[in-house]
Amino acid sequence: MPKPLTLHPDRLFPAEPRTRDIARALYASVKDLPIVSPHGHTDPRWFAYDEPFANPAELLIVPDHYVFRMLFSQGVKLEELGVPTVDGSPTASDPRAIWHIFAANYHLFRGTPSRMWLDWVFAEAFGIDVRLEAETADHYYDIIDAALKTPAFRPRALFDRYNIEVIATTEGPLDPLDHHRAIRASDWNGKVVTAYRPDPVLDPDDPKFIANVQRFCAIAGEDAASFAGYLRAHEKRRADFRAAGATSTDHGHPSAFTANLPRAEIEALYVKVTSGPVSAADAELFRGHMLTEMARMSIADGMVMQLHPGVHRNHNAAVLARFGKDKGADIPTAGEFVKALKPLLDLYGTDPRLTLILFTLDEDVYSRELAPLAGHYPALKLGPPWWFHDSPEGMRRFRERATETGGFYNTVGFNDDTRAFLSIPARHDVARRMDCGWLAQLVVEHRMEEDEAFEVARALAYDLVKQAYKL
Amino acid sequence: MPKPLTLHPDRLFPAEPRTRDIARALYASVKDLPIVSPHGHTDPRWFAYDEPFANPAELLIVPDHYVFRMLFSQGVKLEELGVPTVDGSPTASDPRAIWHIFAANYHLFRGTPSRMWLDWVFAEAFGIDVRLEAETADHYYDIIDAALKTPAFRPRALFDRYNIEVIATTEGPLDPLDHHRAIRASDWNGKVVTAYRPDPVLDPDDPKFIANVQRFCAIAGEDAASFAGYLRAHEKRRADFRAAGATSTDHGHPSAFTANLPRAEIEALYVKVTSGPVSAADAELFRGHMLTEMARMSIADGMVMQLHPGVHRNHNAAVLARFGKDKGADIPTAGEFVKALKPLLDLYGTDPRLTLILFTLDEDVYSRELAPLAGHYPALKLGPPWWFHDSPEGMRRFRERATETGGFYNTVGFNDDTRAFLSIPARHDVARRMDCGWLAQLVVEHRMEEDEAFEVARALAYDLVKQAYKL
Amino acid sequence: MPKPLTLHPDRLFPAEPRTRDIARALYASVKDLPIVSPHGHTDPRWFAYDEPFANPAELLIVPDHYVFRMLFSQGVKLEELGVPTVDGSPTASDPRAIWHIFAANYHLFRGTPSRMWLDWVFAEAFGIDVRLEAETADHYYDIIDAALKTPAFRPRALFDRYNIEVIATTEGPLDPLDHHRAIRASDWNGKVVTAYRPDPVLDPDDPKFIANVQRFCAIAGEDAASFAGYLRAHEKRRADFRAAGATSTDHGHPSAFTANLPRAEIEALYVKVTSGPVSAADAELFRGHMLTEMARMSIADGMVMQLHPGVHRNHNAAVLARFGKDKGADIPTAGEFVKALKPLLDLYGTDPRLTLILFTLDEDVYSRELAPLAGHYPALKLGPPWWFHDSPEGMRRFRERATETGGFYNTVGFNDDTRAFLSIPARHDVARRMDCGWLAQLVVEHRMEEDEAFEVARALAYDLVKQAYKL
């Protein structure tokens, strides 16, 4: 007898009855607001060509590093999950068999946000009413597989059903933006924009950096031999991205380090980093200076900057060699923003034309560094809890630690930051519920008036993100 | 129709009814205890000459960096708020216009302690019963401005009304202490004491350090050319401060670093730092050694030491250049106390005559370093949550993280640490409410007996601060 | 009139009534499960010879650094508490007088876990029904002293009464394991196993390191002059320990640093560290490499590794000189695991035969480093909150911060880690109560289904520890 799957209407709300009542009321006022998704990793091809998703495993397991990292940590091999290898050597190819492994291990996700997102997808997107476990694996597979073959589960239909007002994808500086062009050329009205993520041409530690810069300048018709040409290439590509709807750039640096080198020095450094292997210090210096250049360009062209620092990428050498990047082995490291950002802030921190949105995986800096910085500098805003902290407890800690010094109005609403398209409403829903629960606590403890909590709830769910990202 | 302004009698208490009941009872037992304010930045001139405060903006906005940093972070210029410039170039001078900007932006303070302190001042001190917003700005201005012209709003009258048993100001080592002398010479009985903050003559990184030391030794009638003379100058000035009621010293160093140099080395270092520009390392070494000297003197003269480390002061270069220090651009940095304090603790950590009260803006060290240190060394005590953490959430985190290892009796009650005189009762009230709420939770979870919670509530509100600061 | 001492049946459960109801039900399902104590510091002599404990002070105060560190921090001298000195100079020897000091200062423990553990021992183990304070000191002393003379308070009787399924002690690499042999040779059936803690022969900073290595190799019949002999000595001693029931090793390094040196380099380093004084860097390198060797041996012999890094041991120089090690002056330091563990993980992190259980005293790394690492690497598991964090708040923070990324199944249940034998059930009880309270909150917030919470409660109390430690 399978166990029921239910999404309780009060989920994530505080238990105390009066607090829960207020949370319910606040949530009711924001739950149907459209989704504004200013930063994420959905594939623009989905929206450009509207093809069906392949099967349950390809949709929900194989590409989701949250899912396969947990299975891997408990001894499931990535091969068994069908994760493709770098050299093309075969891995599991039967999606139903992959699904069975997942189902048999679903208890591992107890207490994790993945469990909540997945249950939402199962219940809300697919209408399944029993819990996933080994016994119900086939039932699940059959329902999902059948649904994916229907028009209602094509990307554009889901986009509309999910009430998405706008979604941003993220493209690299070498991307031709063809898919975005196709979306705009189509008769579909969904608003899908790109974002400019120039890491591959900013980071000398990227193994392909030099080739990337060559191609980048070639695309832009600029001379890769000179720093001036390289900068103009950025300006041109930023214009290309803006033409594809971009209102933001994104920067995934190892640290928040910034620099402001004299022209002669950065020109010499550019020659160095584009000529051959460089020291770690030179690579850091180049990235740091280029963040400052990006801020300068943002002031000129109005694009909002996002900084996502502090991850040791691809920590597991064996997994990297066999399966490549982004396979659930990225591990956060300690962060520092106060010294790191000073060179950039000395130049542009008080400029009203700049918006620089800061993210971190080091929660210690919320109260120590980020809220104090954002509570002072006009250019700075705080991004929502990111990645491992995109979770109920992570959201609670963020509000508890950042609000008192940074306030609500130096934050920018929610980012789903995901490639797991089906889970997007679930993720926004978690954020709305957690924010309403937090506001309800402020109200019931008489730290905020109820009418103000309604205003703030709406700001956190909808207004602030549109304003900060200019969407 | 303006919205009502009310201070709910249950504000800041936990929502759960039984817990709230216990919190209410605990709070009722401490709410009327006199205020003991052992560390702060009120101006002794207020109490010496008892002149009226100028106007609402001069009282509540222009000098309050909590207030103008938040407005600045959202694009309000310091010029518009009448913050004076270094070079005397004019800024906004119409206090009513400044007040209007503040009122129109009052929503920015939602969720911050400033909002709670200000609402208390509006409702309790001035008896205003509508919420501050653009529409009520003039109403507020008129009421406050009129009140400030009355005798009831003179500093001494407020001091008495606020039930302040004793308040400490903070003066630099070059201060003639005239205002404190004037207070003592007056017929007023309020107890206002000073505290010795020798940073300007301990910190070689202070641009005026050498001149400060010269003047310092001259005031004391000692020879600035010798380290022995410099030390004697400290001893004499400490005696001067004790004569003005001081029971404590305060040290605002960049880090908690201490050192214990052999006499020949510190004498040579003294010559170096008083002769010209020094390296960052030498400056740190001098400061670190002098903390240890201060501890030695404290053992001799009984003054309690306070250490407030870990702030990157005046982070915004443009604001520093135009408006000077202390303009809301101080940002905390990561702290380390275990290695840093060892030289001092090796000498004096077990000496029962020393009390060294530690503060931090890096909350990570509460459970990792500070509570373990204070839970061992007889000389160490933990100061209350400081500055950005003088807030409901900050207080909760402090108790949650420091109590289990440090206990209650290695803490020292509350510091308001403010120059915002009108808000002092509001700040103590927040601390008393939060502590009672935390104790109520311990009681309701059967982690503490109720009779013991009453004793601890009183200790946290009144007894511990008097004992630790010898007031 | 003495105050009553009661252990409330709902202690440590959340206050909110529905949450408390669920917590009660969960707790009822796990409270009588046997105690599995996989890591601790009880003395195997107790179980080998079953002699009575000496007196209340010798049992509960003199050996308990949690207790005497708090008293010391408030000015009680270790001499007054009868803590023995290094040089044998006498300290207080009247156990009743020591007990009186403790009783008079018992209020210092308010809000600490020691208070809860001690009250449990008083009420549950000794049946005392009044609170400890100066007035009841003799009453307590008499009852406890009398009880200790009865057979029911002999170690084996307590072991049985406490429903201990298995307990691990910790022995050094030079230990002859005679007491463990005596336990096995006796007619008593209690399961007491050892654990291999080779720090004294892994740490060149140990003042006796070279002599230790000599003796270690002599015990094993291996040649201390060669690294190969030294490694074989480890292999032999590990086998000896396994014969005494050990299923785990334990490593108390200053940091989590690991290294993987080429054979020639480690052989040269071995010669260096066993020849005379070495640099801090060489000592760290040797320890780091040896952790990796220990992992290799664990893969071969199946012993589970435990790593307890990040303590500045014996911080108080005066206390160290007079009273020796482990006298309540150990202070945590900041931790780093991401870079530190990479050399070891690159070799063995994905090997299903290795289990490496990580502990920390730096709570910041729970969400930033440890949960992400354990949520990826098959070899890694997270130990429970350790030492200063073995407390209600510490447990709450651990679950809040580690669960969402690491899940429940990458944790290993509870460790009491204590030499305070009488308090062992109290400590496990706190953990079970806190875990049930946390699970109840997940249930009432509809983040977990109730039937799943029962499964997880049992896993946290019993299943996971047996599985992870192979007990």
Side-chain angles (χ1 to χ4, degrees):
Chain A
M1 172 87 187
K3 301 176 188 76
L5 171 64
T6 53
L7 301 181
H8 198 285
D10 286 336
R11 62 192 184 278
L12 295 171
F13 295 156
E16 197 280 318
R18 281 181 306 161
T19 317
R20 184 165 282 189
D21 282 346
I22 298 168
R24 276 189 197 121
L26 291 169
Y27 175 70
S29 77
V30 299
K31 76 184 170 68
D32 295 326
L33 288 171
I35 288 175
V36 176
S37 174
H39 174 71
H41 300 277
T42 53
D43 189 334
R45 277 178 297 197
W46 297 336
F47 310 112
Y49 315 115
D50 203 32
E51 291 169 359
F53 294 106
N55 61 57
E58 288 290 329
L59 177 64
L60 297 171
I61 303 170
V62 179
D64 191 336
H65 55 75
Y66 285 87
V67 169
F68 60 67
R69 83 190 306 273
M70 179 61 87
L71 298 171
F72 181 76
S73 79
Q74 286 279 316
V76 178
K77 304 213 174 313
L78 296 184
E79 288 85 348
E80 301 175 75
L81 296 171
V83 176
T85 53
V86 168
D87 66 2
S89 58
T91 59
S93 59
D94 176 1
R96 190 178 288 265
I98 293 169
W99 188 263
H100 272 265
I101 293 171
F102 173 55
N105 286 284
Y106 197 53
H107 64 285
L108 299 178
F109 296 93
R110 286 172 180 162
T112 72
S114 293
R115 168 67 183 261
M116 279 188 308
W117 301 329
L118 287 160
D119 276 356
W120 186 95
V121 169
F122 300 151
E124 285 291 316
F126 293 105
I128 300 173
D129 61 4
V130 294
R131 194 185 302 165
L132 180 61
E133 48 194 338
E135 290 69 25
T136 58
D138 282 318
H139 176 69
Y140 264 73
Y141 192 89
D142 293 339
I143 288 180
I144 296 172
D145 199 50
L148 294 182
K149 295 183 165 65
T150 66
F153 283 84
R154 297 280 177 92
R156 291 180 182 177
L158 287 170
F159 187 103
D160 294 339
R161 172 178 163 194
Y162 281 178
N163 195 18
I164 297 174
E165 181 173 314
V166 52
I167 197 168
T169 67
T170 304
E171 270 73 46
L174 309 180
D175 195 286
L177 301 174
D178 291 340
H179 310 312
H180 279 277
R181 242 184 312 273
I183 295 167
R184 300 190 162 227
S186 79
D187 58 356
W188 181 60
N189 286 324
K191 187 168 175 193
V192 178
V193 301
T194 185
Y196 184 61
R197 177 134 177 178
D199 299 356
V201 298
L202 289 193
D203 182 7
D205 285 333
D206 186 314
K208 299 186 186 161
F209 172 72
I210 295 175
N212 288 343
V213 170
Q214 296 293 336
R215 211 173 120 216
F216 173 66
C217 290
I219 290 169
E222 292 291 342
D223 176 17
S226 83
F227 185 63
Y230 169 76
L231 287 184
R232 278 194 306 271
H234 275 291
E235 284 160 353
K236 285 190 176 172
R237 291 259 62 201
R238 291 170 69 105
D240 294 342
F241 274 67
R242 286 198 307 287
T247 67
S248 66
T249 70
D250 184 32
H251 306 278
H253 289 207
S255 80
F257 176 78
T258 65
N260 177 27
L261 298 176
R263 185 67 178 207
E265 281 184 39
I266 181 60
E267 286 180 350
L269 183 59
Y270 176 75
V271 171
K272 211 165 161 189
V273 298
T274 54
S275 303
V278 290
S279 68
D282 277 346
E284 182 79 342
L285 197 57
F286 186 76
R287 287 188 300 260
H289 179 87
M290 284 308 300
L291 271 187
T292 305
E293 294 283 355
M294 290 293 110
R296 182 182 57 73
M297 291 183 196
S298 276
I299 286 171
D301 65 19
M303 290 175 90
V304 171
M305 281 182 84
Q306 300 170 96
L307 181 57
H308 285 92
V311 188
H312 188 128
R313 300 270 172 186
N314 312 303
H315 191 269
N316 187 322
V319 165
L320 176 62
R322 182 151 169 74
F323 298 99
K325 294 178 169 189
D326 299 329
K327 290 303 174 293
D330 297 343
I331 312 289
T333 57
E336 200 286 324
F337 289 80
V338 182
K339 275 187 213 163
L341 290 178
K342 192 161 186 341
L344 188 154
L345 292 172
D346 276 347
L347 285 173
Y348 306 124
T350 306
D351 194 310
R353 294 167 297 176
L354 179 64
T355 298
L356 170 53
I357 301 173
L358 302 175
F359 295 80
T360 191
L361 293 174
D362 180 359
E363 297 180 291
D364 307 337
V365 302
Y366 286 156
S367 71
R368 189 179 69 216
E369 306 183 13
L370 293 187
L373 284 165
H376 169 75
Y377 281 102
L380 295 182
K381 296 282 176 289
L382 300 189
W386 174 36
W387 197 342
F388 299 107
H389 310 311
D390 176 9
S391 66
E393 296 297 327
M395 290 172 185
R396 189 190 311 270
R397 284 194 291 271
F398 176 74
R399 293 290 175 212
E400 286 175 354
R401 299 183 187 184
T403 304
E404 293 180 322
T405 294
F408 287 107
Y409 294 89
N410 286 310
T411 64
V412 301
F414 181 67
N415 284 190
D416 56 69
D417 194 13
T418 191
R419 67 200 73 218
F421 181 48
L422 267 79
S423 74
I424 284 177
R427 292 169 190 250
H428 287 257
D429 189 60
V430 169
R432 290 174 184 189
R433 287 173 178 274
M434 289 305 300
D435 282 339
C436 290
W438 164 245
L439 290 168
Q441 188 187 333
L442 296 185
V443 170
V444 83
E445 294 179 358
H446 306 288
R447 296 155 70 182
M448 180 179 281
E449 296 299 325
E450 195 160 346
D451 67 296
E452 296 183 281
F454 278 91
E455 271 185 53
V456 175
R458 184 189 158 91
L460 300 182
Y462 187 74
D463 300 330
L464 288 173
V465 64
K466 290 193 66 166
Q467 187 181 324
Y469 281 91
K470 306 181 179 177
L471 287 168
Chain B
M1 172 87 186
K3 299 175 191 75
L5 171 63
T6 54
L7 301 182
H8 198 284
D10 286 336
R11 63 192 183 278
L12 294 171
F13 294 156
E16 196 280 319
R18 282 182 306 161
T19 316
R20 183 165 283 188
D21 282 345
I22 298 168
R24 276 190 197 121
L26 291 169
Y27 175 71
S29 76
V30 299
K31 76 183 171 64
D32 295 325
L33 288 171
I35 287 175
V36 176
S37 174
H39 174 71
H41 300 277
T42 52
D43 190 334
R45 277 178 296 198
W46 297 337
F47 309 112
Y49 315 116
D50 203 32
E51 290 169 357
F53 294 107
N55 62 57
E58 288 290 329
L59 178 65
L60 296 171
I61 302 170
V62 179
D64 191 336
H65 55 75
Y66 285 86
V67 168
F68 60 66
R69 84 190 305 274
M70 179 62 87
L71 297 171
F72 181 76
S73 80
Q74 286 278 317
V76 178
K77 303 215 175 312
L78 296 184
E79 287 85 348
E80 301 174 76
L81 296 172
V83 176
T85 53
V86 168
D87 65 3
S89 59
T91 59
S93 59
D94 176 1
R96 190 178 288 267
I98 294 168
W99 188 264
H100 271 267
I101 293 172
F102 173 54
N105 286 285
Y106 197 53
H107 64 284
L108 299 178
F109 296 94
R110 285 171 180 164
T112 70
S114 294
R115 168 67 184 263
M116 279 189 307
W117 301 329
L118 287 160
D119 277 355
W120 186 94
V121 169
F122 299 151
E124 285 290 316
F126 293 106
I128 300 173
D129 61 4
V130 294
R131 194 185 302 165
L132 181 60
E133 50 194 336
E135 290 70 24
T136 57
D138 282 320
H139 177 69
Y140 264 72
Y141 191 89
D142 294 339
I143 288 180
I144 297 172
D145 199 49
L148 295 182
K149 296 182 163 67
T150 64
F153 283 84
R154 297 280 177 93
R156 291 179 181 176
L158 287 170
F159 187 102
D160 294 338
R161 172 178 164 195
Y162 280 178
N163 195 18
I164 297 174
E165 181 174 314
V166 52
I167 197 168
T169 67
T170 305
E171 270 73 46
L174 310 179
D175 194 287
L177 302 175
D178 292 340
H179 310 312
H180 279 277
R181 243 185 310 274
I183 294 168
R184 300 192 161 225
S186 80
D187 59 356
W188 181 60
N189 287 322
K191 187 168 175 192
V192 178
V193 301
T194 184
Y196 185 60
R197 177 135 176 177
D199 299 355
V201 298
L202 289 193
D203 182 7
D205 285 333
D206 186 315
K208 299 186 187 160
F209 172 72
I210 295 175
N212 287 343
V213 170
Q214 296 293 334
R215 208 171 122 220
F216 173 65
C217 291
I219 291 169
E222 293 291 342
D223 175 17
S226 82
F227 185 63
Y230 169 76
L231 287 185
R232 278 194 307 271
H234 275 291
E235 285 160 351
K236 287 189 176 172
R237 292 258 62 203
R238 292 170 68 105
D240 295 342
F241 275 67
R242 285 200 307 286
T247 67
S248 67
T249 71
D250 184 31
H251 306 277
H253 289 207
S255 80
F257 176 77
T258 65
N260 177 28
L261 299 176
R263 186 67 179 206
E265 280 183 40
I266 180 59
E267 287 180 349
L269 183 58
Y270 177 74
V271 171
K272 211 164 159 189
V273 298
T274 53
S275 304
V278 290
S279 68
D282 277 345
E284 182 79 344
L285 197 57
F286 186 76
R287 286 188 300 259
H289 178 86
M290 284 308 300
L291 271 187
T292 305
E293 295 283 356
M294 290 292 110
R296 182 181 57 73
M297 292 184 196
S298 276
I299 286 172
D301 65 19
M303 291 175 89
V304 171
M305 282 183 82
Q306 298 171 95
L307 181 58
H308 286 93
V311 188
H312 187 128
R313 301 269 173 187
N314 312 303
H315 191 268
N316 187 322
V319 165
L320 176 63
R322 182 152 170 73
F323 298 98
K325 294 178 170 190
D326 300 328
K327 291 301 175 292
D330 296 343
I331 312 289
T333 57
E336 199 286 324
F337 290 80
V338 183
K339 275 187 212 163
L341 290 178
K342 193 162 186 340
L344 187 155
L345 293 172
D346 276 347
L347 285 173
Y348 307 123
T350 306
D351 194 311
R353 295 167 297 175
L354 179 65
T355 297
L356 170 54
I357 301 173
L358 302 175
F359 295 80
T360 191
L361 294 173
D362 181 358
E363 297 181 291
D364 307 338
V365 302
Y366 285 157
S367 72
R368 188 179 69 215
E369 305 183 13
L370 293 187
L373 285 165
H376 169 75
Y377 281 102
L380 295 182
K381 295 283 175 288
L382 300 188
W386 173 37
W387 196 343
F388 298 107
H389 310 311
D390 177 9
S391 65
E393 297 298 325
M395 290 172 185
R396 190 190 310 271
R397 285 193 291 269
F398 176 74
R399 293 290 175 212
E400 287 174 353
R401 298 183 189 185
T403 304
E404 293 180 322
T405 293
F408 287 107
Y409 294 89
N410 286 310
T411 65
V412 301
F414 181 66
N415 284 190
D416 55 69
D417 195 14
T418 190
R419 67 200 73 219
F421 181 49
L422 267 78
S423 73
I424 284 178
R427 292 168 191 250
H428 286 258
D429 189 61
V430 169
R432 290 173 183 188
R433 288 174 178 275
M434 289 305 299
D435 282 339
C436 290
W438 164 244
L439 290 168
Q441 188 187 333
L442 295 185
V443 170
V444 84
E445 294 179 358
H446 305 289
R447 295 155 71 182
M448 181 179 280
E449 296 299 325
E450 195 159 347
D451 66 295
E452 296 184 281
F454 277 92
E455 271 185 53
V456 175
R458 183 189 158 92
L460 300 181
Y462 186 74
D463 300 331
L464 288 172
V465 64
K466 289 193 68 167
Q467 188 182 323
Y469 281 91
K470 306 180 179 177
L471 287 168
Chain C
M1 172 86 185
K3 300 176 189 76
L5 171 64
T6 54
L7 301 181
H8 198 283
D10 286 336
R11 62 191 184 279
L12 294 171
F13 294 156
E16 196 281 318
R18 281 181 307 162
T19 316
R20 183 165 284 190
D21 282 346
I22 298 168
R24 277 188 196 123
L26 292 168
Y27 175 71
S29 76
V30 299
K31 77 183 169 64
D32 295 325
L33 288 171
I35 287 174
V36 175
S37 174
H39 174 71
H41 300 276
T42 53
D43 189 335
R45 277 180 295 198
W46 298 335
F47 310 113
Y49 315 115
D50 204 31
E51 291 168 358
F53 294 106
N55 62 58
E58 289 290 329
L59 178 64
L60 296 172
I61 302 170
V62 179
D64 191 336
H65 56 74
Y66 286 86
V67 169
F68 60 66
R69 82 190 309 272
M70 180 61 86
L71 297 171
F72 181 76
S73 80
Q74 286 279 315
V76 178
K77 303 214 176 311
L78 296 184
E79 287 86 348
E80 302 174 74
L81 296 171
V83 176
T85 54
V86 169
D87 66 3
S89 58
T91 59
S93 60
D94 176 1
R96 190 177 289 267
I98 295 169
W99 188 264
H100 271 266
I101 293 172
F102 172 54
N105 286 284
Y106 197 53
H107 65 284
L108 299 178
F109 296 94
R110 286 171 180 162
T112 71
S114 294
R115 168 68 184 261
M116 279 189 307
W117 301 329
L118 287 161
D119 276 356
W120 186 95
V121 169
F122 299 151
E124 285 290 315
F126 293 105
I128 300 173
D129 60 5
V130 295
R131 195 186 300 165
L132 180 61
E133 48 194 337
E135 290 70 23
T136 57
D138 281 320
H139 177 70
Y140 264 72
Y141 192 88
D142 294 339
I143 288 180
I144 297 172
D145 199 49
L148 294 182
K149 295 182 165 65
T150 65
F153 283 84
R154 297 281 177 91
R156 290 180 182 176
L158 287 169
F159 188 102
D160 294 338
R161 173 177 163 194
Y162 281 177
N163 195 17
I164 297 174
E165 181 173 315
V166 53
I167 197 168
T169 67
T170 304
E171 270 72 46
L174 309 179
D175 195 287
L177 301 174
D178 292 340
H179 310 312
H180 280 277
R181 241 184 311 274
I183 295 167
R184 300 192 161 224
S186 79
D187 58 356
W188 180 61
N189 286 323
K191 188 169 175 191
V192 178
V193 301
T194 184
Y196 184 61
R197 177 134 176 178
D199 299 356
V201 297
L202 288 193
D203 182 6
D205 285 332
D206 186 315
K208 299 186 187 161
F209 172 72
I210 296 175
N212 288 343
V213 170
Q214 295 294 335
R215 209 171 122 219
F216 173 67
C217 290
I219 290 169
E222 292 290 344
D223 175 16
S226 82
F227 185 64
Y230 169 76
L231 287 184
R232 279 194 306 270
H234 275 290
E235 284 160 353
K236 286 189 177 171
R237 292 258 63 202
R238 292 170 67 106
D240 294 343
F241 275 68
R242 286 200 306 288
T247 67
S248 66
T249 70
D250 184 32
H251 306 277
H253 289 207
S255 80
F257 177 77
T258 65
N260 178 26
L261 298 176
R263 185 68 178 205
E265 280 183 39
I266 180 60
E267 286 180 350
L269 182 59
Y270 177 75
V271 170
K272 210 165 160 188
V273 298
T274 54
S275 303
V278 290
S279 68
D282 277 346
E284 182 80 343
L285 197 56
F286 186 76
R287 286 187 301 259
H289 179 86
M290 283 308 300
L291 271 187
T292 305
E293 294 284 355
M294 291 292 110
R296 182 181 57 73
M297 291 185 196
S298 275
I299 287 172
D301 65 18
M303 291 175 89
V304 171
M305 281 182 84
Q306 300 169 94
L307 181 58
H308 286 93
V311 188
H312 187 128
R313 301 270 172 185
N314 311 303
H315 191 268
N316 186 321
V319 165
L320 176 63
R322 182 151 169 73
F323 299 98
K325 294 178 169 188
D326 300 329
K327 291 301 174 292
D330 297 343
I331 312 289
T333 57
E336 199 286 323
F337 290 80
V338 182
K339 275 187 213 163
L341 290 178
K342 193 162 186 339
L344 187 155
L345 293 172
D346 276 348
L347 284 174
Y348 307 123
T350 306
D351 194 311
R353 293 168 299 175
L354 180 65
T355 298
L356 170 54
I357 301 173
L358 302 175
F359 295 81
T360 191
L361 293 173
D362 181 358
E363 297 181 291
D364 308 337
V365 303
Y366 285 157
S367 72
R368 188 180 70 216
E369 305 183 13
L370 292 187
L373 285 165
H376 169 75
Y377 281 101
L380 295 182
K381 296 281 176 289
L382 300 189
W386 174 37
W387 195 342
F388 299 107
H389 310 311
D390 176 9
S391 65
E393 296 298 325
M395 290 172 185
R396 189 190 311 272
R397 284 193 290 270
F398 176 74
R399 293 291 175 211
E400 286 175 353
R401 298 183 188 185
T403 304
E404 293 180 323
T405 293
F408 288 107
Y409 295 89
N410 286 310
T411 64
V412 301
F414 181 66
N415 283 190
D416 56 70
D417 195 13
T418 191
R419 67 199 73 219
F421 181 47
L422 266 78
S423 74
I424 284 177
R427 291 168 191 251
H428 286 258
D429 189 61
V430 170
R432 289 174 184 189
R433 288 173 179 275
M434 289 305 301
D435 282 339
C436 289
W438 164 245
L439 289 168
Q441 188 187 334
L442 296 185
V443 170
V444 84
E445 293 178 359
H446 305 289
R447 296 154 71 181
M448 181 179 280
E449 295 300 324
E450 196 160 346
D451 66 295
E452 295 183 282
F454 278 91
E455 271 185 52
V456 175
R458 184 190 158 92
L460 300 182
Y462 187 74
D463 300 333
L464 289 172
V465 64
K466 290 194 67 165
Q467 189 181 323
Y469 281 91
K470 306 181 180 177
L471 288 167

